[in-house]
Amino acid sequence: MTGLCVCWVVLSILASILACTGFYLPYWIQGKLLGKADAYFNSFRRCNYPRIRTPTSTPEIVYECARYSSFWDIPSPWWQASTLTICLGLAVAMIGALTLLAAASSFLPHTLKRPKHTKILGSLQLLAATMISGGLVMYPVGWDNREVRESCGKGANVYNLGECSISWSGYLLVGAVALLLLCFSLSFCAARHAPGKTSHATSSHDDPLRI
């Protein structure tokens, strides 16, 4: 493999790791719950959330990170859509990264030697970046739900975090998208440098054996 292909493979694997880590960890946004504990959310998990045992009891804070009990318990349909879209994007990114890793490990030796194959893999990475970006764009539309307002104040609304702020695992996803776009560019560079079929035909007047 050329150095360009090695760089492409390494960045593809790194992008997939960053995307999966950023998606799973619930530190997308940070707020303050009941003025006491830091609260964190992503599209399907949360850290430090209120629990009411009986209708007349005072809310207590559960200090743990957990996903919602079911997909339909996610408090916003936009968060549900964001979860599904990013999941699909991660799956596409992982398929591309694993295929490249297999090619680098000689399990698929011809994958990186054909321009058509490298362009297909690059297009998969562009699709993954687009889907993850789409999920990230959908996520702020759901900031008007009750749970966010409990931690971010009543001013929280669509694309308005109120008193909350973006946290660090959200930036991991943004970084993963940037790397996937870079990998898409590298795939076309690799396609240009892929070895093509060359013709070794010799003209009749250059053949020393022909009289």
Side-chain angles (χ1 to χ4, degrees):
M1 287 199 308
T2 64
L4 180 63
C5 288
V6 172
C7 183
W8 181 24
V9 172
V10 172
L11 290 179
S12 298
I13 295 171
L14 179 60
S16 296
I17 292 173
L18 287 180
C20 291
T21 303
F23 176 64
Y24 181 74
L25 295 176
Y27 308 110
W28 291 14
I29 60 175
Q30 176 182 2
K32 186 73 70 173
L33 180 62
L34 302 178
K36 300 177 182 178
D38 289 332
Y40 299 92
F41 299 92
N42 69 5
S43 63
F44 71 104
R45 297 182 75 222
R46 55 185 176 170
C47 286
N48 304 338
Y49 51 91
R51 178 171 60 190
I52 302 176
R53 295 187 178 276
T54 63
T56 58
S57 63
T58 302
E60 62 180 17
I61 299 175
V62 179
Y63 291 92
E64 66 178 15
C65 296
R67 63 179 178 81
Y68 292 97
S69 300
S70 70
F71 178 78
W72 304 112
D73 287 330
I74 295 175
S76 167
W78 289 102
W79 286 16
Q80 295 170 0
S82 174
T83 301
L84 287 177
T85 305
I86 295 178
C87 272
L88 291 174
L90 292 180
V92 173
M94 288 298 298
I95 289 171
L98 291 175
T99 303
L100 284 168
L101 183 61
S105 305
S106 300
F107 288 105
L108 298 172
H110 301 295
T111 301
L112 298 180
K113 295 181 180 180
R114 298 181 180 179
K116 180 180 178 180
H117 292 169
T118 57
K119 289 180 180 179
I120 290 174
L121 288 173
S123 297
L124 284 178
Q125 292 177 318
L126 176 61
L127 175 62
T130 302
M131 297 187 77
I132 294 172
S133 298
L136 291 176
V137 169
M138 293 178 194
Y139 181 67
V141 183
W143 285 350
D144 59 349
N145 71 73
R146 177 182 57 82
E147 293 192 14
V148 170
R149 285 178 172 169
E150 287 176 348
S151 299
C152 303
K154 295 181 180 180
N157 210 326
V158 176
Y159 277 93
N160 182 359
L161 266 180
E163 300 171 9
C164 288
S165 60
I166 303 295
S167 194
W168 59 273
S169 67
Y171 293 113
L172 291 183
L173 277 174
V174 175
V177 169
L179 282 179
L180 285 169
L181 293 175
L182 176 59
C183 289
F184 170 67
S185 301
L186 289 177
S187 70
F188 279 79
C189 293
R192 293 193 193 99
H193 291 85
K197 294 181 179 180
T198 58
S199 173
H200 299 285
T202 307
S203 61
S204 59
H205 64 273
D206 291 330
D207 188 349
L209 298 180
R210 185 179 180 90
I211 299 175

